[in-house]
Amino acid sequence: MLISLVYVFECRSRSIQENRLKFESNSTRIIYYVIIYTLPSLCLLVYFIVPTDQEAAKLDALRSFPCPTKEFFLEQTFVVLSDPFWLSFIMLFAIPAITILIFGNIFFHVSCCIFYLYMAPGAMTSIRTRLIQRRFFIGMFAQTGFPFIVLAIPYSVLGVSIAIGRVSQVITNISFINFGVHGLVESICIITFHHSYRLYIQKWFMKTAIIKSKFFRIVIRCHIQ
């Protein structure tokens, strides 16, 4: 999901003709995205240290999380990681490092957009085109900003709780519920901040209302006859 955000802002930045820092060739872009995708994917190496003794891993997990839900005991549970060192390493180093990498690239592309759209607009682009680009950039920024806040707040709360040893099942459940709301929030933001999507939804509702109105009129006439 974070890499898709990089792609969104990189495409927006590349579409500005005056941008001298955009990728000129497809091969360069491919190498760039391979690097961006490979570095965060190194976190998948954690699956090579999955505990082979699952019973001992469950006991270790209970030491870190002493009050799990009843499903931990009643259902078949597979513990991916129970070592406190690796848990702390992932939560306090690996994930923040990936976040800095991804958002550093997003910040670079956003800065290019702001510079070439607002601070140093070129003469090759018409005023109307520039206004459309600015409007779309603001909508895209809002479209990605609000869903990110929905993810950042529960992750921050969960990370701080693990760091200070005060994590609980309630905090974990609330955090993952907020994670699940991300898609809904992003869809609402797309419809809210982009004029074309709002216009389409309005036309769709108006068309549906007209069809229903005609249907009820036919039903009423048939009933009267």
Side-chain angles (χ1 to χ4, degrees):
M1 187 203 69
L2 292 176
I3 294 172
S4 68
L5 293 181
V6 176
Y7 180 78
V8 166
F9 287 103
E10 188 271 329
C11 289
R12 181 70 267 164
S13 175
R14 182 164 43 92
S15 66
I16 302 175
Q17 296 182 359
E18 294 83 2
N19 187 2
R20 299 179 180 179
L21 301 177
K22 64 182 179 181
F23 296 111
E24 297 292 346
S25 62
N26 289 330
S27 58
T28 307
R29 291 183 68 232
I30 291 174
I31 295 173
Y32 170 74
Y33 281 109
V34 167
I35 295 174
I36 290 294
Y37 185 81
T38 301
L39 292 178
S41 298
L42 293 177
C43 278
L44 296 176
L45 295 175
V46 70
Y47 289 101
F48 288 97
I49 56 174
V50 172
T52 54
D53 188 352
Q54 284 292 305
E55 295 301 323
K58 291 179 182 179
L59 293 177
D60 291 336
L62 285 175
R63 294 189 183 97
S64 302
F65 307 97
C67 298
T69 59
K70 62 180 181 181
E71 286 76 15
F72 183 86
F73 304 99
L74 301 179
E75 305 292 338
Q76 186 176 2
T77 304
F78 182 76
V79 179
V80 177
L81 199 61
S82 61
D83 191 334
F85 170 78
W86 288 110
L87 284 172
S88 301
F89 176 80
I90 291 175
M91 293 297 299
L92 302 178
F93 176 76
I95 294 180
I98 293 173
T99 302
I100 292 173
L101 171 68
I102 297 297
F103 283 94
N105 284 272
I106 292 176
F107 178 78
F108 171 75
H109 296 302
V110 169
S111 300
C112 290
C113 292
I114 294 175
F115 181 79
Y116 288 105
L117 286 178
Y118 295 93
M119 300 176 66
M124 293 186 296
T125 305
S126 65
I127 297 177
R128 183 175 183 276
T129 301
R130 192 178 301 121
L131 290 175
I132 294 174
Q133 289 179 338
R134 290 177 179 178
R135 186 184 305 165
F136 187 78
F137 172 72
I138 293 174
M140 187 177 62
F141 198 81
Q143 165 195 335
T144 55
F146 285 98
F148 171 72
I149 293 175
V150 172
L151 292 179
I153 292 177
Y155 167 73
S156 301
V157 172
L158 189 60
V160 171
S161 300
I162 293 176
I164 64 177
R166 298 294 297 273
V167 67
S168 66
Q169 192 64 43
V170 175
I171 295 177
T172 304
N173 292 343
I174 294 176
S175 298
F176 278 91
I177 289 173
N178 289 333
F179 291 152
V181 177
H182 166 266
L184 176 62
V185 173
E186 186 166 7
S187 299
I188 294 174
C189 289
I190 291 175
I191 297 174
T192 303
F193 295 109
H194 290 289
H195 176 72
S196 56
Y197 289 100
R198 292 200 309 270
L199 187 62
Y200 176 81
I201 294 297
Q202 290 174 2
K203 290 182 177 179
W204 185 81
F205 275 109
M206 291 177 62
K207 185 178 180 180
T208 304
I210 292 173
I211 293 174
K212 289 183 178 180
S213 177
K214 290 181 178 179
F215 174 76
F216 284 122
R217 289 178 183 176
I218 294 173
V219 172
I220 293 173
R221 289 176 182 176
C222 294
H223 180 71
I224 293 175
Q225 292 178 355

